[in-house]
Amino acid sequence: AQKVTQAQTEISVVEKEDVTLDCVYETRDTTYYLFWYKQPPSGELVFLIRRNSFDEQNEISGRYSWNFQKSTSSFNFTITASQVVDSAVYFCALSDLNQGGKLIFGQGTELSVKP
Amino acid sequence: DVKVTQSSRYLVKRTGEKVFLECVQDMDHENMFWYRQDPGLGLRLIYFSYDVKMKEKGDIPEGYSVSREKKERFSLILESASTNQTSMYLCASSLARYSNQPQHFGDGTRLSIL
């Protein structure tokens, strides 16, 4: 069965610190997709990234970077030089071909960045 | 940009009422989803739809129904609201059934059942 685990329920950092959010997934399929979403206090989930299982290249977008490692079934998210505006709940999610577009979400990690 | 619009940000209803939550997307997406979000439980899928007039149960469909008469609109119905349905409800849409494209979410509806 598919499963996504975000073991960190809450993380608190001081502004300008780097922070890594962990995501571990389980699936039996060889073709699957991984996603990260951000949910700020206002409530809407904002899509950040999608990565397919055949692309293990790490990705960087500004202060955000993602480390995909199939060997450990992990898709971790790092924010460099965190800012107060990064405070949000972050969700990791998994989809495979059998899910028909459904997402399996992790429980979310609440990140608090203090000034 | 994809726009998913939920009819209300905040809603207060009474126990036993029939409640309608509306969701509209403007990108001609085939897939639409309804989730509820509760502290400590993450997002749980209630119902989803791959096409007009189609609906499929998610993980927690009990006490809910849905309607999709037009492609752009997906309604969630609480047949007889109960206090345990107080929650944040999120609607999402995505391109097509096996496209594995990201889901795009609305702003959410915070529903309180008194």
Side-chain angles (χ1 to χ4, degrees):
Chain A
Q2 294 83 2
K3 185 179 179 182
V4 175
T5 301
Q6 295 179 255
Q8 304 150 308
T9 305
E10 298 178 9
I11 300 176
S12 182
V13 299
V14 176
E15 211 170 15
K16 298 185 183 177
E17 283 187 37
D18 298 348
V19 58
T20 295
L21 310 182
D22 297 332
C23 173
V24 174
Y25 62 91
E26 296 176 27
T27 179
R28 294 179 182 174
D29 295 294
T30 57
T31 302
Y32 52 89
Y33 295 80
L34 296 163
F35 303 79
W36 275 95
Y37 285 85
K38 174 183 179 180
Q39 186 179 38
S42 51
E44 78 280 14
L45 266 78
V46 178
F47 164 69
L48 296 177
I49 189 171
R50 181 186 80 146
R51 175 53 51 86
N52 75 59
S53 54
F54 298 107
D55 182 4
E56 286 194 73
Q57 274 196 328
N58 291 331
E59 181 152 341
I60 299 174
S61 176
R63 295 184 297 106
Y64 294 173
S65 63
W66 290 270
N67 183 346
F68 177 30
Q69 292 198 339
K70 287 178 76 170
S71 59
T72 56
S73 297
S74 65
F75 186 43
N76 296 337
F77 174 30
T78 297
I79 301 174
T80 302
S82 60
Q83 300 176 2
V84 173
V85 294
D86 295 327
S87 297
V89 180
Y90 291 86
F91 290 95
C92 180
L94 165 72
S95 178
D96 58 45
L97 292 181
N98 293 325
Q99 294 298 316
K102 291 192 296 180
L103 293 178
I104 309 299
F105 282 91
Q107 294 300 310
T109 297
E110 183 171 4
L111 174 64
S112 177
V113 181
K114 301 190 186 305
Chain B
D1 280 353
V2 177
K3 183 69 174 175
V4 178
T5 303
Q6 294 184 229
S7 51
S8 306
R9 289 300 301 271
Y10 301 93
L11 203 55
V12 180
K13 296 292 183 181
R14 297 207 172 274
T15 304
E17 281 193 66
K18 191 169 186 177
V19 180
F20 293 85
L21 303 183
E22 306 287 346
C23 176
V24 177
Q25 49 94 5
D26 67 355
M27 285 302 292
D28 203 35
H29 283 175
E30 293 184 3
N31 302 341
M32 295 190 75
F33 306 84
W34 274 107
Y35 296 88
R36 65 176 283 177
Q37 183 179 12
D38 302 287
L41 297 178
L43 277 76
R44 293 182 291 169
L45 182 63
I46 305 171
Y47 267 97
F48 58 103
S49 168
Y50 292 131
D51 203 348
V52 177
K53 305 244 185 231
M54 291 184 63
K55 60 183 179 183
E56 301 214 21
K57 293 180 179 179
D59 301 319
I60 52 164
E62 296 78 19
Y64 303 94
S65 62
V66 290
S67 172
R68 195 165 181 200
E69 296 296 319
K70 294 184 178 182
K71 191 174 185 179
E72 67 271 19
R73 185 180 297 269
F74 193 36
S75 303
L76 180 69
I77 304 157
L78 286 65
E79 297 290 345
S80 177
S82 63
T83 55
N84 63 11
Q85 293 178 309
T86 291
S87 186
M88 171 75 141
Y89 290 86
L90 291 159
C91 175
S93 72
S94 65
L95 183 63
R97 184 167 184 169
Y98 294 108
S99 69
N100 283 293
Q101 292 296 311
Q103 292 183 16
H104 298 271
F105 286 80
D107 290 344
T109 296
R110 294 189 186 274
L111 175 64
S112 295
I113 307 297
L114 304 179

